[in-house]
Amino acid sequence: FQVATDAVLVVDASTRKIVEVNRAAAALFGLPASQLAGREASAGFNATGRQAVDELLTTAHLRGQPAEIRIVADGEMLALSAAPFRAE
């Protein structure tokens, strides 16, 4: 998780708040991991991006299956995916 080169966020499905992020996610958002924890998962995006991220999370949660979207953020194309899992 921490050594992954892709940005990874662990998000609580019921609150959509960030629980944990890896180093790549902290670098992407330009904030320390400690400042990202507790924020809304879609907080770092513009209004269009926030809506798309919220829809992505809802789709993955309701279907119980991974989902993926592509959005433009700060002029850069990003591929975002969400995969539901349960921590036991």
Side-chain angles (χ1 to χ4, degrees):
F1 169 76
Q2 286 298 341
V3 296
T5 57
D6 290 332
V8 179
L9 291 82
V10 176
V11 178
D12 183 297
S14 62
T15 64
R16 294 196 180 155
K17 302 252 187 215
I18 297 170
V19 176
E20 187 177 4
V21 301
N22 68 354
R23 290 183 191 110
L28 177 69
F29 287 100
L31 292 170
S34 61
Q35 288 184 18
L36 289 168
R39 289 183 177 214
E40 293 281 335
S42 60
F45 298 93
N46 65 21
T48 303
R50 281 193 299 274
Q51 181 178 356
V53 170
D54 287 340
E55 289 174 7
L56 170 68
L57 295 174
T58 297
T59 299
H61 179 68
L62 293 177
R63 292 186 182 165
Q65 298 177 13
E68 184 174 313
I69 61 171
R70 294 187 188 284
I71 64 170
V72 176
D74 294 330
E76 184 177 342
M77 178 66 73
L78 297 177
L80 306 178
S81 61
F85 73 94
R86 295 188 190 273
E88 301 293 326

